[in-house]
Amino acid sequence: MSTAPTPTPTGSSKLDAAKQVAIANTPEKISGLALYSRFALAGAVCCSVTHGGLTPVDVVKTRIQLDPITYNNGMIGGFRKVIANEGAGALLTGFGPTAAGYFLQGAFKFGGYELFKQQCINYLGYEAASNNRTAVYLASSALAEFFADIALCPLEATRIRLVSEPTFATGLISGFGKIAKTEGLAAFYSGFGPILFKQVPYTMAKFVVYEKVAEAIYKRVDKSKTSNGMQTLINLGSGLIAGFAAAIVSQPADTMLSKINKTKGLPGEGTTSRLIKIAKELGLRGSYTGIGARLFMVGTLTAGQFAIYGDIKKVLGATGGVEIAKS
């Protein structure tokens, strides 16, 4: 760690001593790998905690999407039916791959978003990036999500198989191994197309709406005078609105992802042809099956993510990122 530079003497021993104390008490801003690894860790924790905690909601949402005839009484009715038929433990089906998958995805998503945002600023210059910040938010989040989905896809495929077929395997390790052995590694990425169609628009909407809502709030509230607790509440509120927007944008692809991962394709049937077939079968209305449960789930977890992410960044001292929002 670099040492703080010695202040220029003022000629007053008392003033010089005061300046030394001020410098010693000023936390050094981190940058580079140290900074972005902290962003990645904060993102990994916030996504793993929120997605893992909402596993029961995701189980019911997935059942509604895959079997709307049986699960036709909404989210509350779906909870009751799962518990009545399979016991309360069934609501935690897929917890392992959910927590592990979104730990990896969160690291790439949030860490990558901060990294790509900084690269855009470096390339465009601060003023141009600030004037075109919506485009910067969209491009940074899309790039980050692409790499995050490469890490997420195998674990998401395992989760959906466990939820849709409760007898398929006993957990993450056995389910992952069974898919690899019986269907090959390519099966983990059969849903990569739909996961991109779902996650990239979802993440773009999530980050741009969050940034815009937070910016609008801080135009009316002085951030430098806002308490840590109030900043957490602002992150919660901005994240909730961002989550609703992201859920609506990505719902059709989420339904298709659940469908394509439920069963193996026919011999010689490609992913694209399967997607087209599923889209035709669903129609617009069918693609929004389970939207109520997903609005609740995505709104809640996105609010939680941004609140946890902001708080962990403060704890880790990850405050060196460049902000381009206009105050």
Side-chain angles (χ1 to χ4, degrees):
M1 181 180 292
S2 61
T3 57
T6 302
T8 304
T10 63
S12 168
S13 59
K14 289 184 178 180
L15 186 56
D16 288 342
K19 289 177 70 176
Q20 287 280 17
V21 171
I23 290 172
N25 291 332
T26 300
E28 183 181 355
K29 280 196 173 184
I30 55 177
S31 60
L33 180 60
L35 176 63
Y36 292 103
S37 63
R38 284 167 170 79
F39 287 148
L41 178 59
V45 172
C46 78
C47 286
S48 182
V49 168
T50 52
H51 279 277
L54 283 170
T55 296
V57 178
D58 204 26
V59 168
V60 175
K61 183 265 299 180
T62 303
R63 295 287 175 85
I64 292 171
Q65 289 175 324
L66 296 178
D67 190 2
I69 296 175
T70 301
Y71 296 91
N72 58 2
N73 296 317
M75 187 170 65
I76 302 300
F79 268 103
R80 290 173 177 166
K81 191 160 289 186
V82 170
I83 293 171
N85 294 341
E86 304 170 48
L91 293 172
L92 292 178
T93 303
F95 174 79
T98 297
Y102 283 96
F103 186 90
L104 289 174
Q105 194 233 26
F108 281 98
K109 176 186 289 188
F110 281 86
Y113 175 70
E114 301 283 5
L115 175 63
F116 288 122
K117 187 168 68 170
Q118 181 63 65
Q119 295 308 308
C120 288
I121 294 167
N122 293 344
Y123 179 76
L124 298 171
Y126 182 84
E127 191 63 31
S130 182
N131 291 336
N132 298 280
R133 58 193 178 281
T134 300
V136 170
Y137 298 149
L138 291 171
S140 301
S141 56
L143 285 168
E145 187 58 47
F146 176 82
F147 291 103
D149 288 343
I150 294 174
L152 173 66
C153 202
L155 292 158
E156 181 71 355
T158 305
R159 180 196 70 79
I160 290 175
R161 188 64 62 86
L162 291 174
V163 172
S164 61
E165 299 178 35
T167 60
F168 179 76
T170 58
L172 168 59
I173 304 300
S174 59
F176 193 94
K178 187 173 181 180
I179 293 174
K181 183 178 180 179
T182 60
E183 301 173 39
L185 296 178
F188 290 118
Y189 286 93
S190 64
F192 187 62
I195 212 171
L196 283 179
F197 290 136
K198 165 194 166 184
Q199 289 293 136
V200 172
Y202 162 83
T203 300
M204 292 169 75
K206 168 179 171 175
F207 277 104
V208 76
V209 172
Y210 168 80
E211 296 275 16
K212 290 293 187 180
V213 173
E215 179 180 338
I217 293 172
Y218 284 121
K219 281 182 177 178
R220 293 164 175 79
V221 179
D222 187 345
K223 188 174 183 179
S224 64
K225 297 179 181 178
T226 305
S227 67
N228 287 337
M230 182 55 67
Q231 287 182 21
T232 299
L233 285 176
I234 290 171
N235 286 338
L236 277 169
S238 302
L240 183 65
I241 296 171
F244 288 155
I248 292 169
V249 167
S250 61
Q251 174 67 14
D254 183 68
T255 303
M256 292 175 69
L257 180 65
S258 294
K259 291 283 188 182
I260 203 168
N261 277 316
K262 181 181 180 181
T263 56
K264 294 186 291 184
L266 299 173
E269 187 178 29
T271 300
T272 302
S273 59
R274 290 179 68 193
L275 288 175
I276 294 172
K277 179 181 177 182
I278 291 170
K280 288 180 178 178
E281 290 173 351
L282 287 172
L284 181 61
R285 184 173 181 178
S287 67
Y288 276 90
T289 300
I291 185 62
R294 192 154 185 268
L295 278 170
F296 173 81
M297 176 184 169
V298 175
T300 303
L301 73 85
T302 304
Q305 282 175 9
F306 280 112
I308 295 169
Y309 181 63
D311 288 348
I312 293 178
K313 283 199 302 179
K314 291 174 187 174
V315 170
L316 297 176
T319 56
V322 177
E323 296 298 330
I324 54 176
K326 292 198 179 284
S327 57

